[in-house]
Each structure stands twice: as structure tokens, then as C-alpha cells.
Amino acid sequence: MGALLKFGALLLAAVAACVAWEDGDVWDYDGHKLKDSDFLALWPLPQKVQSSAVSFQLSASRFQFTHAEGSSAGSDCSILQNAFRRYFDYIFGFTKKDRDQRRRNAAGSEVLELQVAITSPDAECDGFPSLTSDESCECGAAPSSESSPPVIAFLTQITQNINKTGVSDFPRFAHRGVLLDSSRHYLPLKVILANLVTMAMNKYNVFHWHISDDQSFPYVSRMFPDLSQKGSYHPYTHVYTPADVKMVIEFARMRGIRVIAEFDTPGHTQSWGFGQKDLLTPCYTGSSPSGTYGPVNPILNTTYDFMAGFFKEISTVFPDAYVHLGGDEVDFSCWKSNPDIQKFMDQQGFGKDYSKLESFYIQRLLDIVSSTDKGYMVWQEVFDNGVKLKMDTLIHVWKGNEAQYQAEMARVTGAGYRTLLSTPWYLNRISYGQDWRDAYKADPCNFTGTDAQKKLVIGGEACLWGEYVDASNLTPRLWPRASAVAERLWSDQGVRDISDAYVRLVQHRCRMVERGIPAEPLFTGYCRHEYSGV
Amino acid sequence: MGALLKFGALLLAAVAACVAWEDGDVWDYDGHKLKDSDFLALWPLPQKVQSSAVSFQLSASRFQFTHAEGSSAGSDCSILQNAFRRYFDYIFGFTKKDRDQRRRNAAGSEVLELQVAITSPDAECDGFPSLTSDESCECGAAPSSESSPPVIAFLTQITQNINKTGVSDFPRFAHRGVLLDSSRHYLPLKVILANLVTMAMNKYNVFHWHISDDQSFPYVSRMFPDLSQKGSYHPYTHVYTPADVKMVIEFARMRGIRVIAEFDTPGHTQSWGFGQKDLLTPCYTGSSPSGTYGPVNPILNTTYDFMAGFFKEISTVFPDAYVHLGGDEVDFSCWKSNPDIQKFMDQQGFGKDYSKLESFYIQRLLDIVSSTDKGYMVWQEVFDNGVKLKMDTLIHVWKGNEAQYQAEMARVTGAGYRTLLSTPWYLNRISYGQDWRDAYKADPCNFTGTDAQKKLVIGGEACLWGEYVDASNLTPRLWPRASAVAERLWSDQGVRDISDAYVRLVQHRCRMVERGIPAEPLFTGYCRHEYSGV
């Protein structure tokens, strides 16, 4: 017997998928084969699954991962080696001894090996995942000799004989993100890393790091150290050092996750003002400065000099091809109060239309960032205000009710821009009961538009804004509610059965809990191993 | 110099109070004396506080707790010894070294000793707290000789000179409870113990253990082991053994917390049916049993034999003078469907009024429990249905909107019964934003009634029902929202300033976080030491 796991490219989120249904659910307490409901607890649901009642067994002492002949990645590929370690632990970590004992007298149907084949010429072992990475995965069985038996590992539950392919999988959307906000509350590294682990379990491939905002600036800039020195909650304990940022990026890379940093301007920047003189607009009461500050000052050349330096640094620190530039919720009242701004408005012929001033700023910022060879994501206001955008700009829709965001998706794609959706997935908003269902039902392609328009939808992001969230409650608030979004973004558009989703998600949630993640319960019930923290 | 801490009786929740403001907030990072806002972060706010700018210092290597002359408790009092250990750790645990170094050159104003005096003749060192325990506390300074200097310890922040009393405190209500539900989800012991610790920090004195319900029966009964063997989520991993229950009670006792068990009947008992034959009413479809079961079967003698045996056990396992008998939300549809029940109704002359049948059951149950020398608490329906109750019965109000529960409080106290309130404190219900404020604003005495009626209000309970809560999210969901309720139940009725409460509660919440409790944030901001878990 033999088994083969084929990836388009080396994206470990895909590994997570192909392995997911095995973890801890294959044998129950009494060593019985899985019930159907257990078996079907795949999350997110793969595009195609062929299942069978035939079961194989695994032994921690005999099982191994191998590189298939012809694979473009071998044992020098650290991403794969890391994945092997993780998944070996997931499979055998919990009930190792127990399983081994049971399996000793069942050698005939034992799975000894999982061959991994990377089919694309570039295995991306040392590179970073990108928007165009191939995340497809074929999990199946292939013939082999008895003497050196490569055997189905993760596929034992779904392969009737070695000639049948078990799973054929690929994501519906290329951009599947989670936004975490480390400004309203500082998020210790441990929390970020734990959530990257959980993102991988849910096949998310983008960590949108909303790193700065009004409340604090925790990013330690090498070029402008005063930003965090003076703008963070605490310059030593509540900051992300260059080493921290590097670790987050590498930890994410190992799991097929891109890190897209957001440095939101010109609004949401109060914390920047402490460490960068003259960056923010002085607000006025009558003819005198009030002592308070507004958005970034868009009329000074020093502002653009600073931004050029700052985003040059960002472009080297964050390897992803995109940077998120924010651009949302600019409050015009301070600009309006400032006589210098008023004069500038007159000179530019903007009249009283401050959105033109906003666009003026954004336009110059985009030019600056373009010069660093990065693409950019922006919140929808930038598009709404008519700023001239490069056609590869990603427009991030977040506002309005259902009808409004659907209309916005239609407008953005109608103008030929690629877009992603977050409006229905502001998971910081909570309500009593099973609110994961609303998140599950929303669909980014539910709007009136042509097929060409729908193709411009690259995905979406679950957002967990930080006003009421920090290390104490982030993880259970995010999971498994974000899992609902994950399936919407990965699985086929037709996967919408809420009852079926409930059954699978209950088990997927227990799988997260059993891996040490305090994902909250959907409803009454239990996990075999409850969360062991407090 | 000298200091004295006097308790009416030995209730360590009171110790918690007198000590609370010291913990970790006395010196800031730079060794500066507390800002006023820090100093005032007492929670719940004591009845009387006299403060001063004069500061004293503490040294971990020199400070000690002692028993004051004339105290009715000495070093053989394990409750006090345990409290000393806890509070020493709270005071010096975090920044021990640091503090010692700072203090070495300030011996003149150093606090070396805290004398503890228990003034009531019975120190209750080996007893259990009760509804009538004296929780009052005087924290002040008393003269002493230079040679053997008993010094103010926790009072350094509030005592201008040794002749002044710092804090005079007592609770507004005698019953201040938290309900946890271990049936909808099993709560590992660790979670229960951690929340008892947190309850003590917030001066709660009742743990209302809603131990069983429809979903599972985790209580291991010595007399009826099948109840948990067959009615729990899992008979080994999801149960509370006699040793577990004992540990919870003892752990609570050490913290001045009573444990009141609730075994809710005749509704909410689906899980009882698996391990106790014929206990539940068989439901009928037409003239045949449907295979499903309803509430406890009130027409069989075997039911009352069982209840007599069961509650006899409960009366010995749980030492508190009260047991909560539930009695809420009885669904009559199954009773109505059952021909034997119909016949019984006719015989008894109940007509079609099934609340009379419910009362018939409850009446007999109350007689059974009375014979065990326990008092009982019941949910308000039992009173609403006109069941004859002993005058020491506690009526637990939980239903309706504000007007409705206020009217109910008026009716219950008008009938001469003591009552406690939970309606506005169903903390399982969540909404986006600072919903602690609604909990804080509610007041159990806000109803139309005489002074005599108001005196019958013994307090209230924050309830965290378990449908959507387990070990993964219980603690951050409960705290600091339950802290808001705690202050309402402890502090003077006039303590209602929401802005002042916010400032203190933010710091109190950080105090909980710094002691390892994942209490969630109220709003943006930070703690000096963030929660270190995930």
C-alpha cells in the first residue's frame, strides 16, 4: 500500500487541511472506529472528499513522513520539517501510549508512512507565501511495494483502496485574513503566536496586523524610535521590537500565513504625535491652538519626508508584497479649525471639501509607498473619496449594513478594483447566543454584478478590533467564531448547511481546545479534554 | 507606631477588603508614592475611609502578621494562617526584591507588623461562614512601644498618625453570591477554584453552585452513584467526586465563602433520568408513551423516597444552612400528556391547573428538606405559585424586566419573606461595549416598599449560566463584570458615581490580571503586567 500527499506549492495551511480530520478523533475512548459525525468534522470543508468505512491504524513508533520521489522539496526544506513536527505531535501527542498498544496486533492495516510531494517547480521553502501562491492539495493513495511500504497516513479514514484519491482541495478565495489590533490593547507575543497557530488550523493565510492606532504605537521603528518610546503604553513592556516582528513573520511563514502590516493614517494617529514633532495637525479654538491634535498634517513637506522614511523601513521589515495604509474615519473638525489648513485649502482650490484634502494626502502617501515597490490595501473610504488608485490596489470593505456593503462591493468591482470584505465579520461585536451563524451566512459574492466583477473579490477578513479585547479574552472571543468565516472563505460557495456546519464546528472547536486553544463553546455539551487553563 | 486590624468575626473576605488597596499599587515604576487615583482604587468601596498623604514602607524580609493581644484567634487558627500566606504573597509576590532595595534606607517609616484582632468570642476558625456571620472590619492604628513596634501594614496609605482609624467597613448586604453552572458545561475544578479566589478579591461570600440541570449530572452521589455514572457527560472525566466537593467547600471556607448547592427540581432534570429509574414523568403521544420524559414524576411515592434519601445525603455533604431547591421553569406539556398524571389531578381536585401539581411536589420536597434541618432557597416561581413556605425561606428573584422584578421584590417582601435579586445580573447575557454599567446601576432595594420590606432584602447574586460558557471563556466573561455587582452588594447605597467606579474598576481589574486572573478589559488601555496566558 502507499499514500501520497501532493501540494501545488509548499503552503502549510494546506497541510493543516489535509490532516485536520485525523487529529484525535480517529479512535474514540473504546478504540472504536469513528462515527460518521466524527469523520465528517472537517473544517473548513474541502472541495472534494471521497470517504470509506475502511480504517487503517497508526503507530507513533513506526509512522513517518517522507518526501515523495519527484517532489520539489526535500529534507532540507525547513517549512516541511517544521510541519512534520507539528503534525506528528497533533496526531500522536495526546494518546500515544494508548494507541500504540491497541495497534500492535493490527499490523496488516497499519499506516507507516506519508509521502509528501510538492509539484510546483519552486517549493517556496525559503520564500514567503503570497496572494498568488498555489494552495491546492491532493490527498490520495498511490501504489508501492510491500517491502518498503509507503502507506496512507491521514487518509485512512477516507480511502477505500490505494488507487482512490481521498481529498482534492483548494481555496475559494486567495485572501483569507484575521485582523488583530495591537494598539487599543497591547497583545503579548504569546497571544499573537497562539492565534497564528489557530489561524493555520482554520486555513487562514493572512494576518492583518493593525499595529498602531490612536491609543498606542507599539511598533519599534529603527529609524524613528521615539514613536514607540513616547507613543506606546510602555516603552519596554508594551512594544514590539524588531526581533519580535521578525519572529511573528517567520512563525507565520512556517504556517503559510502572510503578515500584512497596517499603519493607518491620516486619522487614527494620536499616538504617533508623541514621538514625531509636527506630524499631527494642531487644532485651534478660535484663533489659538487648543493644545490638542488632529489627523496627520497634510500641508507640511516634513510630513511626507517622514512618511517616505517610515514606509521605506516598513517595506523592508515586512516582506509581504502588500502594506495596508488604512485611510478610514478621518475626522475633519481639527483640520477645519486650523487657519493654516484653511489657507492651504484655498490655495489648492479645495473650497470647503475636506475630503479633497484627505485625498490629497492619501494620493501623496500612495505615491510614496508605490516607490517602495509595495502594493497597497486601503479601507473603502479611500475609494469612496475618488482617490486615484493603481489598478492593483485592494479595496477593503468594512462599512454599512448588508445592503450597503453589497452595493459597495458592486461599485468597487464595477470600477475594476479587487476587493475584500469585512463588514459582516467584525467579530469584536458580540451578542448573546450563537452569533457565529450570522458570520457563516454572509458571502462576499452576494451582490449584483457580472462574473468578471465576482472574480475581483479576493476574499475577506475577520476583524477583532481591540477596544474591549486583550490577552485576557481575545482567543475565546475570536474562536470558533472566526472559524465560521474561515469556512466561508475556503470552501465551495454551496457549502451553506448550517446544521451540518454546527455538527462539524462543535468537533472542530474541541479539536482547538484539545490543542490548548481556549476556543469558546457554541452551545451546551463537552469536549473529551476540556480546556485546562482558567 | 502600631497598627491593628479588627474583625467582628473571622471572615477572610473582610481581610481581602482591608488589604485590597495595597496590592501592587503602592509604589509605581519609579518608586513614587501613589497618585490619588491609584490610592482610591478600592473595590468594593469600603463604608468609611480616612486617607492621608503620609506613606510608610514594607519590607518582605521584615514584615510580619501577628495576633493582637485579646484576639479570639491565635496561631492555631488555620483560616488566618492561610490568609496570611495569601496576602503576604499578594503584597510581596510581584516586586519583592525591588521593594526591599528601595526600603532599606527608609527604616523610620517602615511598617513591620500587622496585628490582627478577632473581637467576637467565637473566631469561627473551624466553622463555616453563615448568613449571619459578622463581616465588619476596622483597620486602624494603635499605640505601641518603640522596642516592640507593631506597625500599620495595609494602612500605610490611609493613616496620618497612629491614633487614627483608617477604614471602617461592613457589607450592605449579607448575601453576595455568584452562580456558576456546572451542568450545561462541566467546569474543571481549577476553574471553580480560580473563581473562588476572584470572588474573595471582590468580597463575594456565596458560591451558588448550580451543579445539575437537564444537560448533565456531574455530582457523584454516594447513595445514588448511577446519577453521575449515567447522567454526566463522562463518568470519570466530567464529574465532581466527594473529594472534589469537599475541596471546593474547604477552599471556599478559607476565603469566607459559603457554598450553596442547587439541585433544581422538578424541571431541569433530564440528566437525572438516566441514573434513576421512574424518576421522570413519561410523556405520551396520544395513548402511548413517546419515549421521552418530562419533569420529575410528582405522583409516585418512589419519587419522594428518592428525594428523601438524596437530600439527606446533600444535607451532610454541604455544610451550609441553606440548600437551593430550584423550582423554576416547569414545563407542563409532558404532565398534561400523561394519563396517570391526569387521573391524579382529578383525584386531587386540581382541575386543569398544573401549577397546583407543581406546588404539590414542591410542598412535599420542602417538607423533606426541612426534616434535614436545612433552610431552603427557591426561585421565585415557587412563591408565585403560592406554595406554603417556611418564613425563613429565601426567595430568589430572577424574572422579568426592571419594573417586573421590582414589583416582585415588593410582593415577596410584602408577604414577609426574605429575598435576593438576580434579574439584572444575568451576566451570561452579553452585549457589545461596557455592559458592566447596567449591572452597576441596578439596586436590589429599588422598589416601592416600607423600610421593613427593604430590610428583608438580603442581597443578590451574579449569575453566569452555562449555555455558552465553559473553562475556555468563563473567567473573562465573569470578571470584572461581576465586580460591578460586588460593589453594589457591599458598598453603601449612595456609592453610585459611574465615573469614579470606572477609574477604580480599571485598576481593580488590573489587580485581578496581575494575580493571574484573565479579567477582561473595560475599555482601551493597559495593565502594567498583562495577562500572561492565551
Side-chain angles (χ1 to χ4, degrees):
Chain A
M1 291 199 300
L4 194 61
L5 190 60
K6 277 193 195 175
F7 297 101
L10 192 47
L11 285 155
L12 279 299
V15 174
C18 291
V19 175
W21 66 85
E22 207 284 325
D23 308 319
D25 285 322
V26 178
W27 292 275
D28 68 13
Y29 276 117
D30 308 316
H32 292 134
K33 204 164 51 63
L34 277 174
K35 290 168 291 179
D36 272 1
S37 63
D38 289 327
F39 160 65
L40 289 170
L42 300 173
W43 195 278
L45 199 68
Q47 302 290 340
K48 190 177 167 191
V49 185
Q50 276 185 302
S51 68
S52 137
V54 175
S55 76
F56 298 84
Q57 298 180 337
L58 292 89
S59 153
S61 55
R62 288 183 292 272
F63 174 80
Q64 57 182 346
F65 293 97
T66 61
H67 299 279
E69 213 173 312
S71 174
S72 60
S75 54
D76 59 343
C77 180
S78 62
I79 291 191
L80 266 190
Q81 291 306 124
N82 269 270
F84 293 167
R85 181 175 61 197
R86 280 203 309 282
Y87 287 98
F88 192 90
D89 199 39
Y90 284 158
I91 300 167
F92 298 108
F94 241 129
T95 49
K96 194 168 170 176
K97 265 198 178 147
D98 208 30
R99 284 187 174 182
D100 273 0
Q101 280 161 2
R102 277 204 217 107
R103 232 124 296 155
R104 218 148 274 166
N105 46 15
S109 57
E110 183 174 320
V111 170
L112 295 175
E113 190 178 77
L114 176 75
Q115 293 189 6
V116 175
I118 308 300
T119 56
S120 90
D122 177 11
E124 293 188 7
C125 283
D126 303 309
F128 291 93
S130 76
L131 184 58
T132 55
S133 291
D134 181 355
E135 296 177 294
S136 67
C137 163
E138 301 283 332
C139 310
S144 76
S145 74
E146 273 287 297
S147 55
S148 169
V151 192
I152 308 159
F154 311 117
L155 311 175
T156 53
Q157 299 309 306
I158 55 160
T159 310
Q160 198 148 28
N161 69 58
I162 54 165
N163 293 319
K164 274 194 181 168
T165 296
V167 168
S168 176
D169 206 8
F170 55 88
R172 179 175 167 213
F173 294 108
H175 185 117
R176 305 179 306 281
V178 168
L179 177 150
L180 297 181
D181 168 1
S182 61
S183 172
R184 273 61 179 254
H185 288 97
Y186 176 76
L187 302 176
L189 265 198
K190 187 177 174 181
V191 173
I192 293 177
L193 300 187
N195 279 277
L196 285 168
V197 166
T198 319
M199 285 169 63
M201 282 184 219
N202 289 272
K203 294 159 114 8
Y204 275 106
N205 67 355
V206 174
F207 169 35
H208 175 161
W209 194 350
H210 185 85
I211 198 166
S212 71
D213 209 295
D214 286 331
Q215 286 78 4
S216 75
F217 193 100
Y219 170 80
V220 176
S221 164
R222 287 185 192 276
M223 205 177 290
F224 303 99
D226 273 357
L227 288 171
S228 62
Q229 188 68 31
K230 299 181 179 172
S232 67
Y233 283 131
H234 190 283
Y236 304 124
T237 59
H238 287 65
V239 295
Y240 302 105
T241 66
D244 293 339
V245 172
K246 223 170 178 169
M247 188 196 293
V248 167
I249 293 168
E250 180 64 3
F251 196 88
R253 185 180 80 88
M254 286 289 167
R255 287 156 180 80
I257 298 171
R258 304 159 57 199
V259 178
I260 298 183
E262 178 183 356
F263 289 91
D264 193 357
T265 67
H268 291 280
T269 49
Q270 288 292 302
S271 67
W272 303 50
F274 299 107
Q276 187 61 24
K277 199 172 164 297
D278 296 334
L279 181 64
L280 303 185
T281 308
C283 314
Y284 278 67
T285 309
S287 58
S288 327
S290 68
T292 62
Y293 294 87
V296 165
N297 193 331
I299 69 171
L300 301 180
N301 285 331
T302 51
T303 290
Y304 301 99
D305 293 344
F306 165 77
M307 291 294 172
F310 182 76
F311 279 101
K312 189 175 172 200
E313 172 179 320
I314 296 309
S315 74
T316 61
V317 169
F318 292 91
D320 199 79
Y322 287 86
V323 60
H324 201 303
L325 299 175
D328 59 321
E329 297 185 311
V330 182
D331 178 7
F332 295 148
S333 56
C334 181
W335 280 351
K336 285 179 185 169
S337 76
N338 182 306
D340 297 328
I341 300 268
Q342 290 161 16
K343 199 170 144 197
F344 185 84
M345 292 280 289
D346 288 344
Q347 287 168 352
Q348 297 286 328
F350 291 164
K352 297 289 171 200
D353 186 354
Y354 285 83
S355 73
K356 285 188 177 155
L357 181 60
E358 180 183 348
S359 296
F360 172 87
Y361 166 80
I362 293 277
Q363 198 69 68
R364 291 193 62 174
L365 180 67
L366 296 184
D367 292 344
I368 285 168
V369 173
S370 291
S371 74
T372 67
D373 282 332
K374 293 284 183 184
Y376 38 77
M377 292 173 68
V378 289
W379 296 109
Q380 71 179 73
E381 285 97 321
V382 176
F383 168 82
D384 296 345
N385 287 340
V387 175
K388 199 183 92 205
L389 296 164
K390 288 192 300 178
M391 286 315 291
D392 68 346
T393 304
L394 307 179
I395 311 295
H396 198 162
V397 173
W398 70 278
K399 289 175 77 169
N401 59 27
E402 190 177 1
Q404 287 166 332
Y405 76 69
Q406 289 173 350
E408 178 79 1
M409 297 290 279
R411 277 192 299 274
V412 170
T413 54
Y417 290 103
R418 283 180 299 172
T419 185
L420 66 162
L421 181 64
S422 278
T423 310
W425 298 321
Y426 266 38
L427 299 185
N428 49 302
R429 302 207 158 265
I430 52 172
S431 57
Y432 190 55
Q434 297 199 42
D435 60 359
W436 68 274
R437 293 187 291 202
D438 294 329
Y440 190 77
K441 286 174 191 162
D443 194 298
C445 287
N446 259 1
F447 63 86
T448 309
T450 63
D451 285 355
Q453 276 177 276
K454 302 294 169 82
K455 281 195 182 125
L456 291 169
V457 179
I458 62 163
E461 290 186 0
C463 298
L464 195 70
W465 295 100
E467 282 85 350
Y468 303 103
V469 170
D470 71 2
S472 67
N473 62 345
L474 184 148
T475 308
R477 188 152 295 182
L478 185 57
W479 309 102
R481 294 157 78 233
S483 302
V485 182
E487 176 151 299
R488 179 59 49 238
L489 294 173
W490 177 278
S491 304
D492 185 78
Q493 186 160 15
V495 177
R496 302 192 61 78
D497 181 335
I498 202 100
S499 308
D500 175 70
Y502 176 80
V503 172
R504 286 183 294 113
L505 190 50
V506 163
Q507 291 185 68
H508 182 58
R509 178 255 163 179
C510 282
R511 193 154 48 218
M512 292 190 271
V513 167
E514 287 167 13
R515 290 182 190 173
I517 299 298
E520 68 180 20
L522 295 177
F523 195 48
T524 59
Y526 71 105
C527 296
R528 293 188 302 176
H529 302 271
E530 303 292 354
Y531 181 62
S532 64
V534 167
Chain B
M1 291 199 298
L4 193 61
L5 190 58
K6 276 192 195 176
F7 298 102
L10 190 48
L11 285 156
L12 278 300
V15 175
C18 290
V19 175
W21 67 84
E22 207 283 325
D23 308 319
D25 286 320
V26 179
W27 292 273
D28 67 13
Y29 275 118
D30 308 316
H32 292 134
K33 203 164 52 64
L34 277 174
K35 291 168 290 179
D36 272 0
S37 65
D38 289 326
F39 160 64
L40 288 171
L42 300 173
W43 195 279
L45 199 67
Q47 302 291 340
K48 190 177 167 191
V49 185
Q50 276 184 303
S51 68
S52 137
V54 175
S55 76
F56 298 85
Q57 296 180 338
L58 293 90
S59 152
S61 55
R62 288 183 292 272
F63 174 81
Q64 56 182 347
F65 293 97
T66 60
H67 299 280
E69 213 173 312
S71 175
S72 61
S75 55
D76 59 343
C77 181
S78 62
I79 290 191
L80 267 190
Q81 290 307 122
N82 269 272
F84 293 170
R85 182 176 60 198
R86 280 204 308 281
Y87 287 97
F88 192 91
D89 199 40
Y90 284 159
I91 300 167
F92 298 109
F94 240 127
T95 50
K96 194 169 172 175
K97 265 199 177 143
D98 207 30
R99 286 189 172 179
D100 273 359
Q101 279 161 5
R102 277 204 217 106
R103 232 124 295 156
R104 217 147 272 166
N105 46 15
S109 57
E110 184 173 320
V111 170
L112 294 176
E113 189 177 76
L114 176 75
Q115 293 189 5
V116 175
I118 307 300
T119 56
S120 91
D122 177 12
E124 293 187 8
C125 283
D126 303 310
F128 291 93
S130 77
L131 186 57
T132 56
S133 291
D134 181 356
E135 296 176 294
S136 67
C137 163
E138 300 283 331
C139 311
S144 76
S145 73
E146 276 288 297
S147 55
S148 169
V151 192
I152 308 159
F154 311 116
L155 311 175
T156 52
Q157 299 308 306
I158 56 159
T159 310
Q160 198 145 26
N161 69 59
I162 55 164
N163 292 320
K164 274 195 182 168
T165 295
V167 168
S168 175
D169 206 8
F170 55 88
R172 178 175 167 214
F173 295 108
H175 186 117
R176 306 179 306 281
V178 168
L179 177 150
L180 297 182
D181 169 359
S182 62
S183 172
R184 273 62 179 254
H185 287 98
Y186 176 76
L187 302 176
L189 266 196
K190 186 176 174 182
V191 173
I192 293 178
L193 301 186
N195 280 278
L196 285 168
V197 166
T198 319
M199 285 170 62
M201 282 185 217
N202 289 274
K203 294 159 115 6
Y204 275 106
N205 66 355
V206 174
F207 168 35
H208 175 162
W209 193 350
H210 186 86
I211 197 165
S212 71
D213 209 296
D214 286 331
Q215 285 77 5
S216 75
F217 193 101
Y219 170 80
V220 176
S221 164
R222 286 185 193 276
M223 206 178 288
F224 304 99
D226 273 357
L227 288 171
S228 61
Q229 188 68 29
K230 299 181 178 172
S232 67
Y233 283 130
H234 192 282
Y236 304 124
T237 59
H238 288 64
V239 295
Y240 302 105
T241 66
D244 293 339
V245 172
K246 222 169 177 169
M247 188 196 292
V248 167
I249 293 168
E250 181 65 4
F251 197 89
R253 185 179 81 87
M254 287 289 167
R255 287 155 180 81
I257 298 172
R258 303 159 57 201
V259 178
I260 297 183
E262 177 183 358
F263 288 91
D264 193 356
T265 67
H268 291 280
T269 50
Q270 288 293 302
S271 67
W272 302 51
F274 298 107
Q276 186 62 24
K277 198 170 162 303
D278 296 335
L279 180 65
L280 303 186
T281 308
C283 314
Y284 278 67
T285 310
S287 57
S288 326
S290 68
T292 63
Y293 294 87
V296 165
N297 192 332
I299 69 170
L300 301 180
N301 285 330
T302 51
T303 290
Y304 300 101
D305 295 342
F306 166 78
M307 290 295 171
F310 183 76
F311 278 102
K312 189 174 171 199
E313 173 181 320
I314 296 308
S315 74
T316 61
V317 169
F318 292 91
D320 199 79
Y322 287 86
V323 59
H324 201 303
L325 298 176
D328 59 320
E329 297 185 312
V330 182
D331 178 7
F332 295 148
S333 56
C334 182
W335 280 350
K336 285 179 186 168
S337 77
N338 182 305
D340 297 328
I341 301 266
Q342 289 161 16
K343 200 170 140 195
F344 185 84
M345 293 279 290
D346 288 343
Q347 286 167 354
Q348 297 287 329
F350 291 164
K352 297 291 170 198
D353 187 352
Y354 285 84
S355 73
K356 285 188 176 153
L357 182 60
E358 180 183 348
S359 296
F360 173 87
Y361 166 80
I362 293 274
Q363 197 70 66
R364 291 192 63 173
L365 181 67
L366 296 184
D367 293 344
I368 286 168
V369 173
S370 290
S371 74
T372 67
D373 282 334
K374 293 285 184 184
Y376 37 77
M377 293 174 67
V378 289
W379 295 109
Q380 71 179 73
E381 284 97 321
V382 176
F383 168 81
D384 294 346
N385 287 339
V387 175
K388 200 184 91 204
L389 296 165
K390 288 192 299 178
M391 286 315 294
D392 68 345
T393 304
L394 307 178
I395 313 294
H396 198 161
V397 173
W398 70 278
K399 289 175 77 170
N401 60 27
E402 190 177 1
Q404 287 166 331
Y405 76 70
Q406 288 173 351
E408 178 78 0
M409 297 291 280
R411 277 192 299 273
V412 170
T413 55
Y417 289 102
R418 285 180 298 172
T419 184
L420 64 162
L421 181 64
S422 278
T423 312
W425 298 319
Y426 266 39
L427 300 184
N428 48 302
R429 302 207 158 265
I430 52 172
S431 58
Y432 190 56
Q434 297 199 41
D435 60 359
W436 69 273
R437 293 188 290 202
D438 294 328
Y440 190 77
K441 285 173 192 163
D443 194 298
C445 288
N446 259 0
F447 62 87
T448 308
T450 63
D451 284 356
Q453 277 177 276
K454 302 294 170 80
K455 281 194 180 127
L456 291 169
V457 179
I458 62 164
E461 290 185 0
C463 299
L464 196 70
W465 295 101
E467 282 85 350
Y468 303 102
V469 170
D470 72 2
S472 67
N473 63 345
L474 185 149
T475 308
R477 187 152 296 183
L478 186 56
W479 308 102
R481 292 158 76 235
S483 302
V485 183
E487 177 152 298
R488 179 60 49 240
L489 293 173
W490 178 279
S491 304
D492 186 78
Q493 186 160 14
V495 177
R496 304 193 59 80
D497 182 336
I498 202 99
S499 307
D500 175 70
Y502 177 80
V503 172
R504 286 183 296 113
L505 190 51
V506 162
Q507 291 185 67
H508 182 59
R509 179 255 163 178
C510 282
R511 193 154 48 216
M512 291 190 271
V513 166
E514 287 167 14
R515 290 182 190 174
I517 301 297
E520 66 180 22
L522 296 177
F523 195 49
T524 59
Y526 72 105
C527 297
R528 292 188 301 177
H529 302 271
E530 302 293 353
Y531 181 61
S532 63
V534 168

